[in-house]
Amino acid sequence: MAINNQDVYRIARERMVESQIKARGIKDERVIQAMLKVPRHLFVEEALRDQSYGDFPLPIGEKQTISQPYIVALMTEALELKGTERVLEIGTGSGYQTAILAETALWVYTIEKYPSLQEKAKKTLFDLGYKNISFKIGDGTLGWQEASPFDAIIVTAASPQIPPPLIEQLNESGRIVIPVGDEFSQMLVKGIKKGGVLHTKNLEPVRFVKLVGTYGFKE
Ligand code: SAH
């Protein structure tokens, strides 16, 4: 029996989930199922497809990157999604994390600074049949006031601080996950809003590209 490309990528995905995701302690079954399902190779250019299930980020244009699979899983698990949430994502990039959120939450609102990146991501997500995503071009550090409040917020770029508008736009008991630090290294921070106040804890050290905007880094 012939083995086609679909099988090759499915097997690569199963290996990725075993060796990079489960082996490192990700337990949320809904996150695991999403990572098994979403065809990560379609979110990178053709020349990089064979590397797309590797344990590293890859370039996606405009000097930006698609995050390492484990980091996508870790951040999604930290949001504690049950499938009923409205989630805000800052940094659409390739749209891969967006797809994982579309699989695990009710609705995803995603903001990207570069129109060229979001156009590409939008097409990939549309071709895959996702219908529970709203897109916006702009400065994500300001959040998305008209669509707020959100049950969960994920920032997939490094920030010197947690942007205050994002804390404001988070629901009571809502979760936010964001890499906080300087441009070379950051701590992945998880915050939960209780009684209007954000309570934070550190997850693990990470390295992301810069969040550039009003409450992020300057250009
Ligand atoms: N989740 C994406 C990660 C992309 S990298 C993926 O896995 O493909 C981070 C993204 O944040 C980049 O696309 C970058 O252009 C975007 N970004 C940087 N600053 C931003 C801002 N202020 N608002 C929205 N997006 C921003």
Side-chain angles (χ1 to χ4, degrees):
M1 201 172 72
I3 291 189
N4 62 31
N5 262 347
Q6 292 302 87
D7 291 330
V8 171
Y9 288 127
R10 182 180 46 78
I11 291 164
R13 216 153 42 236
E14 286 168 7
R15 290 211 178 117
M16 171 191 86
V17 167
E18 285 304 321
S19 65
Q20 301 171 34
I21 309 298
K22 287 193 194 168
R24 294 199 184 112
I26 302 298
K27 292 198 173 58
D28 188 327
E29 194 51 39
R30 303 183 68 256
V31 175
I32 290 168
Q33 287 309 318
M35 304 281 300
L36 281 172
K37 182 173 171 190
V38 176
R40 181 169 163 95
H41 59 282
L42 298 181
F43 292 84
V44 300
E45 62 180 280
E46 255 178 89
L48 295 178
R49 283 194 182 159
D50 290 348
Q51 296 180 62
S52 65
Y53 294 98
D55 195 12
F56 37 76
L58 285 169
I60 55 171
E62 308 281 6
K63 297 187 182 152
Q64 306 303 323
T65 56
I66 176 172
S67 303
Q68 178 191 0
Y70 168 66
I71 296 297
V72 172
L74 179 69
M75 292 176 85
T76 312
E77 183 173 69
L79 294 178
E80 302 173 38
L81 303 173
K82 302 284 174 266
T84 57
E85 301 81 1
R86 299 167 67 257
V87 182
L88 175 65
E89 177 192 37
I90 314 299
T92 315
S94 68
Y96 176 69
Q97 171 79 69
T98 319
I100 297 294
L101 294 170
E103 291 284 347
T104 48
L106 181 67
W107 202 275
V108 187
Y109 296 83
T110 186
I111 309 178
E112 169 59 50
K113 172 175 153 68
Y114 290 100
S116 64
L117 291 181
Q118 193 169 76
E119 267 321 303
K120 228 185 284 176
K122 211 174 189 172
K123 182 175 186 316
T124 311
L125 292 162
F126 177 83
D127 289 348
L128 286 170
Y130 290 105
K131 294 189 172 65
N132 57 339
I133 306 168
S134 302
F135 297 87
K136 177 174 169 164
I137 297 291
D139 177 7
T141 70
L142 303 173
W144 192 330
Q145 181 69 49
E146 313 87 274
S148 69
F150 302 98
D151 305 305
I153 299 179
I154 180 171
V155 182
T156 67
S159 183
Q161 59 169 332
I162 305 180
L166 300 185
I167 302 175
E168 247 163 68
Q169 292 173 29
L170 195 59
N171 249 337
E172 175 68 12
S173 299
R175 285 79 59 198
I176 181 169
V177 180
I178 175 172
V180 179
D182 60 33
E183 77 179 276
F184 304 107
S185 72
Q186 309 96 33
M187 181 55 75
L188 195 59
V189 173
K190 172 176 179 174
I192 302 186
K193 197 166 167 182
K194 290 275 179 206
V197 179
L198 197 70
H199 298 266
T200 63
K201 71 170 181 184
N202 294 343
L203 298 182
E204 44 184 277
V206 287
R207 181 167 186 177
F208 275 83
V209 296
K210 280 192 289 184
L211 181 73
V212 178
T214 306
Y215 295 98
F217 289 100
K218 300 301 159 219
E219 207 65 63

